[in-house]
Amino acid sequence: MKDVYILAIESSCDETSVSIIRNGCDEIATVVLSQMDMHANFGGVVPEVASRMHIENITMVLEECLNKADLDMTDIDAIAVTYGPGLIGSLLIGVQAAKTLAYLYNKPLVPVHHIAGHIYANNLEKPLSFPLIALVVSGGHTDLIYMEEDYSFKRIGGTLDDAVGEAYDKVARVVGLSYPGGPIVDKKAHEGKNTYHLPLPLNDDSYDFSFSGIKSAVINLVHNEKQRGNVINVENLCASFQHSVVEILTKKTMRALKEFGVNNLIVAGGVAANKGLREKLTSLCSEENINLIIPSMKHCTDNAAMIGAAGYYAYKLGRRANLDLNAKANDALQ
Ligand code: KG4
Ligand code: ZN
């Protein structure tokens, strides 16, 4: 069978990224230009700044990726792009770049949902086996998804309020850690102990999650301790927060695997980089004989390689967009 080369573009938040992926699994070249240092000055992503930086960077990132791959546009079979969800001004730059390339070089245009990309980041590690459960944990999403086959997404539960990454970032800010807080809370958690014993959030028999309560519990705790003149042990508070979050995520995920009779689990999204979550899932899955795939660290956070992997399957299924494709800040995964 002829090889299929997908050129993928991702610009949904603060990373400008272009990648070339062969047959949905071979990463030929990827370039990721992160704007993190710029946004760190403001304590979070500033959408207007992100959008302007994507405009400045997109052509350069594209050229660098093609050079790195030693390919040109005639070698490419289709252009895949994240059309949503994400920051609208950021998404628009990637979508416009993809449409321009598709028009200029007369290539099919394949729209990819950002979360489908995070899920297919796992296909860059190992081919996915079905049926599977995907635990999606990012800055904007926390979902449990059942997949019977490629590109079939059935959401069985998810957060009712904050996404888990969002809760990590807020907790980091409250205890005075810099942006982005998730990885720093994770690091501190490994230096501390679960001494604050926070409750397990939404510890019920649904597959839903809630992280706003535990976030408020941390905020109140910090506030009360300050008023009493007590010093917070940041490492222990991070360890306590991480313990509760990892406990509830893994508890509901393992139950879903059992109840759906599935023995394949994949983890997706920025929080898949969390060491506590990776360790706990690795040990539970080995006890229960579950095949676990977690993306490598570089594929956990936003990148275009994952969009190229998902884009290949969307392309094979005949998913196409016209040149009137628009970016969507919110859209259900389907
Ligand atoms: O998937 P992602 O790059 O962007 C979205 O699509 O949202 O995820 C970013 C989120 C941020 O909230 C960041 O703090 C969190 O992932 N994150 C982590 C870790 N690394 C990234 N959260 C906890 N532990 C980590 N090691
Ligand atoms: Zn993401």
Side-chain angles (χ1 to χ4, degrees), residues 35 37 46 54 66 96 107 112 120 145 156 176 179 189 223 253 257 273 286 319 326:
Q35 309 171 0
D37 291 347
V46 182
H54 284 306
L66 285 164
Q96 191 56 46
K107 304 284 179 191
V112 175
Y120 275 90
I145 290 168
I156 60 170
Y179 169 85
H223 184 73
T253 303
L257 287 161
S286 118
R319 294 198 181 203
N326 207 351

Side-chain angles (χ1 to χ4, degrees), residues 160-218:
L160 304 175
D161 41 59
D162 291 1
V164 62
E166 195 182 347
Y168 263 94
D169 294 338
K170 283 185 188 156
V171 163
R173 195 181 295 191
V174 167
V175 297
L177 302 173
S178 60
Y179 169 85
I184 310 175
V185 172
D186 186 16
K187 188 164 171 280
K188 296 267 178 211
H190 276 79
E191 293 160 10
K193 289 200 174 70
N194 175 17
T195 54
Y196 288 96
H197 301 293
L198 298 165
L200 284 195
L202 203 65
N203 188 15
D204 63 6
D205 20 326
S206 75
Y207 292 120
D208 290 327
F209 301 101
S210 165
F211 296 105
S212 83
I214 188 165
K215 174 196 72 188
S216 304
V218 172

Side-chain angles (χ1 to χ4, degrees), residues 10 12 114-115 118 138-139 269-270 300-302 306:
E10 155 67 39
S12 65
H114 183 73
I115 296 302
H118 275 303
S138 76
C300 286
T301 42
D302 293 347
M306 66 186 200

Side-chain angles (χ1 to χ4, degrees), residues 290-311:
I290 301 287
N291 304 313
L292 169 70
I293 315 179
I294 308 183
S296 63
M297 293 304 248
K298 69 173 180 181
H299 291 141
C300 286
T301 42
D302 293 347
N303 65 86
M306 66 186 200
I307 303 302

Side-chain angles (χ1 to χ4, degrees), residues 19 67 80 85 113 154 186 270 273 283 331:
S19 178
N67 285 341
H113 191 284
K154 186 171 167 238
D186 186 16
S283 112
D331 199 34

